[in-house]
Amino acid sequence: MAVKRALWFALVLCLAFMPVFAQESGKDFEFTFFGPRFYSFFPSGADFKLSYSGLDFGLDGNTELVLVAGGGYQEITFPRDPANGNTVLAEQFASFPSPNFQWDLGLVQGLARRPNGANLVELFLFYRGRLDLYNNDLSATVFADMQGLFGTSFLTGASFSTVSRSVHRLRSGLFVEGSAEWAPAFLNAKSDFWRVSGQARAYVPLFDLPNDGKNLLSMYIAAFLGADYADGASVPLYVQRSFGGRYLRGSLGDSIRGYAHSSFDTSFKLASSLELRLLGPALFLPSIVPFLYGFVDAGYLSGYWGTSRDATVSGSLASAGGAIGVDLFDFAQLHFIMGSRLIDDG
């Protein structure tokens, strides 16, 4: 019954927004395709965004009503012993297929503008939900959502951004975001958690050599720093293995390249990265751009939720390497990463 009530609640909210979207079109209404999802190498779903910017609350910034939604078929990797929550070796991770659907519905309000009219400072408030259908026979003794999840939460936060990207894909500027998320037990049968998250990204251009509108050669430095802490009576799998915020980021094992996928799903996670990126020359079309970059990643972990044995475990991760690839029309990237761990164990 709780799932049905939450589904109806989500449907009513979506329907409430539909008349607003239907009233205006053109400059006030925008559809954005974020890109496909993949199962192995095969497209298995997609994510998109609908936004309406025709509201004006008299503040010095743009106002948006936003619906972000997506779904697809994916594979879940579970890096714990489901019977007791203890961590296991990477070769013992359980993997199983999972159809997934997610949505964010809410309001974004700018408080200051950039010279190009975009928001410099934003506040946001979202109702967030997801449906995970896990196809497994693992025990749900420790993790309530081991057999699947319908979960909802409320997300609020603020961001500051001066980031821009030139026609040659050269990035510059600074982005900072802080957020808090709460999933109350009275709305969720298998989810009762809270978390706080923060991130910062910086891009420093080094040089840009254009050629007839195409990228002849350009280079910039990219830096990232992210932190996340989650706790509660029932913390779902996706929360433990992700960094929170307006857009979820993968686990600490994914963020520090070279470690096992979905690993190090701790209560507190800290990740950082420094890259030197070389772009171009463009191939045939301005939107087909090869790239080369070198990276150094480092992270810190502390405390696994759902286990007494590993509740106080802490450690560091680090890796370094490089990658070569090509960006295809902003639709997908094909790349090959080479690198090595600088620290073997977290």
Side-chain angles (χ1 to χ4, degrees):
M1 291 299 294
V3 171
K4 290 183 178 179
R5 286 196 298 268
L7 280 170
W8 277 111
F9 181 49
L11 179 60
V12 169
L13 284 175
C14 290
L15 291 175
F17 273 77
M18 288 180 67
V20 177
F21 289 133
Q23 288 173 6
E24 296 286 346
S25 60
K27 65 182 180 65
D28 292 337
F29 179 75
E30 182 179 359
F31 175 85
T32 304
F33 178 64
F34 284 154
R37 297 190 185 189
F38 289 91
Y39 183 81
S40 185
F41 296 102
F42 303 99
S44 63
D47 293 270
F48 66 89
K49 171 184 171 183
L50 290 172
S51 62
Y52 174 74
S53 56
L55 298 177
D56 186 357
F57 294 145
L59 300 174
D60 188 19
N62 302 313
T63 304
E64 277 190 303
L65 296 176
V66 177
L67 169 64
V68 179
Y73 192 80
Q74 60 190 22
E75 184 176 52
I76 295 298
T77 300
F78 183 51
R80 305 280 201 99
D81 184 334
N84 52 35
N86 293 337
T87 58
V88 295
L89 299 176
E91 55 267 25
Q92 297 174 312
F93 287 2
S95 296
F96 44 86
S98 169
N100 162 267
F101 178 73
Q102 299 171 217
W103 68 90
D104 291 349
L105 184 65
L107 175 70
V108 179
Q109 176 60 58
L111 300 182
R113 295 179 188 269
R114 297 162 61 175
N116 64 2
N119 287 335
L120 177 68
V121 178
E122 290 183 337
L123 299 178
F124 53 86
L125 175 63
F126 282 93
Y127 163 75
R128 168 174 284 177
R130 68 184 287 136
L131 174 66
D132 291 302
L133 303 174
Y134 297 152
N135 183 14
N136 68 70
D137 57 358
L138 299 178
S139 168
T141 302
V142 178
F143 305 101
D145 62 321
M146 196 67 254
Q147 300 295 322
L149 171 73
F150 180 90
T152 61
S153 62
F154 299 96
L155 174 75
T156 186
S159 64
F160 169 89
S161 178
T162 64
V163 175
S164 63
R165 193 183 75 162
S166 73
V167 294
H168 300 146
R169 289 167 169 70
L170 186 68
R171 295 181 184 271
S172 62
L174 174 68
F175 174 82
V176 180
E177 178 190 276
S179 67
E181 186 174 5
W182 176 49
F186 64 82
L187 285 180
N188 302 287
K190 300 180 180 181
S191 179
D192 180 8
F193 75 90
W194 60 269
R195 74 163 152 190
V196 290
S197 308
Q199 64 169 294
R201 302 175 187 269
Y203 305 94
V204 181
L206 298 180
F207 65 81
D208 182 14
L209 302 177
N211 180 29
D212 297 330
K214 297 182 180 181
N215 184 313
L216 180 61
L217 199 65
S218 61
M219 179 182 287
Y220 65 97
I221 296 172
F224 169 80
L225 177 65
D228 180 90
Y229 181 80
D231 203 356
S234 183
V235 185
L237 304 178
Y238 83 90
V239 173
Q240 298 179 58
R241 59 169 175 257
S242 68
F243 284 79
R246 187 168 167 182
Y247 300 103
L248 293 179
R249 180 183 177 93
S251 73
L252 186 60
D254 298 320
S255 299
I256 313 302
R257 285 160 284 195
Y259 292 87
H261 176 65
S262 296
S263 59
F264 305 107
D265 54 323
T266 51
S267 298
F268 176 72
K269 299 179 281 288
L270 180 67
S272 62
S273 178
L274 183 65
E275 296 182 357
L276 180 63
R277 301 180 180 179
L278 181 66
L279 308 177
L283 303 175
F284 312 113
L285 297 172
S287 53
I288 302 179
V289 181
F291 59 83
L292 175 70
Y293 66 83
F295 68 85
V296 177
D297 296 340
Y300 177 79
L301 58 96
S302 178
Y304 288 87
W305 185 91
T307 171
S308 58
R309 190 194 73 178
D310 301 324
T312 59
V313 168
S314 62
S316 300
L317 308 173
S319 64
I324 185 171
V326 60
D327 189 302
L328 301 173
F329 309 103
D330 285 335
F331 180 79
Q333 287 187 350
L334 302 176
H335 63 276
F336 177 72
I337 299 178
M338 300 165 288
S340 63
R341 302 179 187 179
L342 302 180
I343 300 176
D344 287 335
D345 299 307

